[in-house]
Amino acid sequence: MLRRVLVLSLQRANFAAARFLMTTQTVEKNLERCKLEEQVITPWDVHASDEKGVDYDKLIKKFGSSKITPELLERFEKVTGHAPHHFLRRGIVFSHRDFDQLLTLREQGKPFYLYTGRGPSASSLHLGHCVPFMFTKWLQEVFDVPLVIQMTDDEKALWKDLSLEESNELAHENIKDIIAFGFNPEKTFIFCDLEYIPSCKEFYWNMNRIQKCINFNQAQKCFGFDETSYIGKIAFPAIQAAPSFSTSFPHLFGDKKIICCVPCAIDQDPYFRITRDVAPRLHLPKPVLLHSTFLPALQGAQTKMSSSDGVSTIEMCDTPKKIKTKINKHAFSGGKTSVEEHREHGGDTSVDVSYHYLRFFEPSDERLAQIKEQYESGVLLTGELKKLLIDNITEYVKEFQERRAMVTPDVLEKFMSRHPMDL
């Protein structure tokens, strides 16, 4: 009996040691990868070695997407009758897959729908999360089309130290934030994976069809999975892929095969590259993609804003005082070391985080150009530029919080209820 206990103890110790070794090797491999590569962009990690941030032209070449050109924007305005959003004009939404074909569908009067999502890892969205939702709301208004928003509470329970119950609770809080962006309740369906998938056979069946089309080698190559990855993580890409197909939502679209357009940050592209590869095998249309850049972290453009760093992340529940403190204390400056030197040589807007944020949140091209000229010429000091950003973001967050306060349980229920939508 004692011998058996000793054998079991040794087996457990060996297993723990092996698991520790694999985890250590994974960490070392990722660190080495960051040293060898100028930038690492995955759904879970964003890092650039250049202080100017991610080289998005290199990403276009690496991912095989297409750059959004002035000619495409001109065609967009002609087809829709709307001037392009400032995200499009400034290259914040910079890349696409088949967006030109979507404009052709529009010209032909054929329907499509929008799909975006959010992984709930904190009780409040932060400023970086606003980017895809701001743009998606504008697209819904311009095209007057249905929208589905997936809350991947199942994903966050796999990747974070969260229980299923905790992740689902965070999802419901995040949905209130998302509703505050002003989406059309008659044409928007928001769902949590942990609630919707068990109750919708068609969604689950599509998940299984997708899983059957992707082997481990493909998933490993696309997402970087290794021997330490939970099997739930390996299976998850099929869950994020399924909303790309209209047949996953029979209560919205019946059995119609309608094309989908996905506005998302560029780090989510691996999910949809593999979705587009699978689609023809399932006799379903490939999703169209629109890629946005990242809102950088306050500390600099080498990485994106993250919920895991609450101290220097501007959250949508922050007070004006917190916003002011975070920007003044943490926002990386492109200014010079002295006032005299700055007046003579000017600041560097290519690395200045306050200027980067204004590119996202200052809607006037003329005002942004004026700020850029004044800062680079030395007329505008770093403290003055930060003050402009503080005023801008404080007002934006204040208006957001006022809309958020109006989201009642009845409003939440409206967005999460299953109802047919006009195409």
Side-chain angles (χ1 to χ4, degrees):
M1 182 67 181
L2 180 61
R3 181 178 180 182
R4 184 181 178 187
V5 170
L6 288 172
V7 169
L8 287 172
S9 298
L10 284 171
Q11 287 175 338
R12 289 169 182 163
N14 288 337
F15 175 79
R19 184 175 178 83
F20 174 78
L21 178 61
M22 287 190 295
T23 303
T24 303
Q25 290 171 340
T26 301
V27 171
E28 291 174 348
K29 183 171 68 175
N30 289 338
L31 288 172
E32 189 63 28
R33 185 182 176 197
C34 287
K35 291 177 185 176
L36 293 174
E37 298 185 36
E38 293 180 5
Q39 53 189 25
V40 175
I41 311 296
T42 73
W44 312 286
D45 184 25
V46 174
H47 174 82
S49 57
D50 193 321
E51 66 176 3
K52 294 182 180 180
V54 174
D55 186 328
Y56 291 102
D57 286 333
K58 284 186 178 179
L59 274 189
I60 287 175
K61 292 179 181 178
K62 181 177 180 180
F63 287 179
S65 59
S66 300
K67 190 169 186 175
I68 292 178
T69 62
E71 293 76 19
L72 184 61
L73 295 184
E74 185 179 337
R75 186 182 174 207
F76 170 88
E77 187 165 3
K78 182 180 178 181
V79 171
T80 66
H82 291 263
H85 193 279
H86 70 270
F87 286 179
L88 288 165
R89 299 196 303 270
R90 297 173 189 173
I92 292 170
V93 175
F94 71 102
S95 165
H96 74 101
R97 296 185 188 275
D98 294 341
F99 188 60
D100 51 337
Q101 294 183 26
L102 197 76
L103 294 178
T104 299
L105 284 179
R106 186 65 170 184
E107 288 175 322
Q108 296 171 347
K110 295 181 180 178
F112 65 89
Y113 70 101
L114 299 168
Y115 155 42
T116 193
R118 158 83 182 127
S121 57
S123 59
S124 173
L125 301 189
H126 62 58
L127 210 57
H129 296 139
C130 296
V131 175
F133 290 118
M134 290 166 64
F135 187 60
T136 301
K137 175 188 178 291
W138 179 79
L139 287 173
Q140 187 183 47
E141 289 178 345
V142 168
F143 289 109
D144 190 26
V145 292
L147 163 67
V148 296
I149 300 176
Q150 180 185 42
M151 304 301 295
T152 56
D153 45 0
D154 50 346
E155 175 206 16
K156 290 307 175 184
L158 288 168
W159 263 268
K160 302 288 184 179
D161 184 21
L162 293 169
S163 67
L164 294 174
E165 292 80 6
E166 290 169 334
S167 187
N168 183 248
E169 183 178 347
L170 291 177
H172 280 258
E173 289 302 308
N174 284 188
I175 290 171
K176 297 173 187 176
D177 283 349
I178 292 168
I179 291 171
F181 286 98
F183 294 108
N184 181 351
E186 301 301 326
K187 291 201 169 188
T188 304
F189 174 56
I190 308 177
F191 67 98
C192 298
D193 284 346
L194 290 173
E195 298 167 1
Y196 180 68
I197 296 173
S199 66
C200 183
K201 177 190 72 176
E202 290 81 0
F203 192 105
Y204 183 68
W205 282 25
N206 273 344
M207 280 170 45
N208 278 267
R209 292 181 181 114
I210 296 164
Q211 289 170 347
K212 194 172 182 179
C213 292
I214 305 168
N215 62 42
F216 178 71
N217 286 337
Q218 291 171 309
Q220 186 179 42
K221 183 178 179 181
C222 194
F223 298 100
F225 297 131
D226 59 26
E227 61 273 16
T228 68
S229 302
Y230 296 121
I231 58 174
K233 292 183 178 182
I234 298 165
F236 177 76
I239 300 175
Q240 185 158 324
S244 303
F245 303 131
S246 59
T247 53
S248 296
F249 304 101
H251 62 285
L252 302 181
F253 309 118
D255 59 358
K256 297 175 184 176
K257 296 180 180 180
I258 303 167
I259 199 166
C260 172
C261 176
V262 186
C264 62
I266 188 65
D267 60 339
Q268 298 300 300
D269 186 70
Y271 285 111
F272 300 106
R273 286 205 305 273
I274 209 163
T275 305
R276 286 168 57 86
D277 289 343
V278 163
R281 296 172 62 183
L282 300 180
H283 306 290
L284 293 168
K286 293 181 179 182
V288 171
L289 273 290
L290 284 168
H291 300 126
S292 65
T293 61
F294 305 111
L295 186 73
L298 280 170
Q299 299 94 324
Q302 291 172 306
T303 188
K304 65 176 181 176
M305 185 174 281
S306 172
S307 296
S308 60
D309 183 11
V311 175
S312 57
T313 293
I314 298 175
E315 297 179 333
M316 299 309 291
C317 60
D318 278 348
T319 63
K321 183 179 179 181
K322 275 189 177 181
I323 293 170
K324 180 179 180 180
T325 299
K326 288 178 178 180
I327 291 174
N328 279 332
K329 185 175 181 179
H330 298 289
F332 185 81
S333 169
K336 299 300 185 285
T337 54
S338 68
V339 172
E340 293 76 17
E341 186 183 0
H342 187 91
R343 293 292 190 199
E344 182 179 356
H345 299 289
D348 184 356
T349 55
S350 69
V351 299
D352 194 286
V353 166
S354 294
Y355 176 75
H356 275 279
Y357 279 32
L358 287 170
R359 287 186 69 242
F360 284 82
F361 292 97
E362 171 52 59
S364 169
D365 290 342
E366 292 76 17
R367 177 61 177 146
L368 186 69
Q370 181 186 46
I371 292 169
K372 178 179 171 68
E373 190 279 326
Q374 290 180 345
Y375 191 63
E376 291 180 341
S377 67
V379 172
L380 195 67
L381 299 175
T382 294
E384 294 169 331
L385 179 59
K386 287 188 175 183
K387 175 65 166 54
L388 291 175
L389 178 64
I390 290 167
D391 291 345
N392 181 297
I393 297 303
T394 299
E395 182 63 21
Y396 179 81
V397 172
K398 174 178 174 288
E399 291 176 358
F400 176 91
Q401 291 173 354
E402 289 171 353
R403 296 192 302 270
R404 171 54 156 85
M406 297 173 66
V407 180
T408 64
D410 287 342
V411 172
L412 189 71
E413 174 62 26
K414 174 69 174 176
F415 277 91
M416 297 187 73
S417 65
R418 306 182 189 192
H419 54 280
M421 296 185 188
D422 294 331
L423 296 173

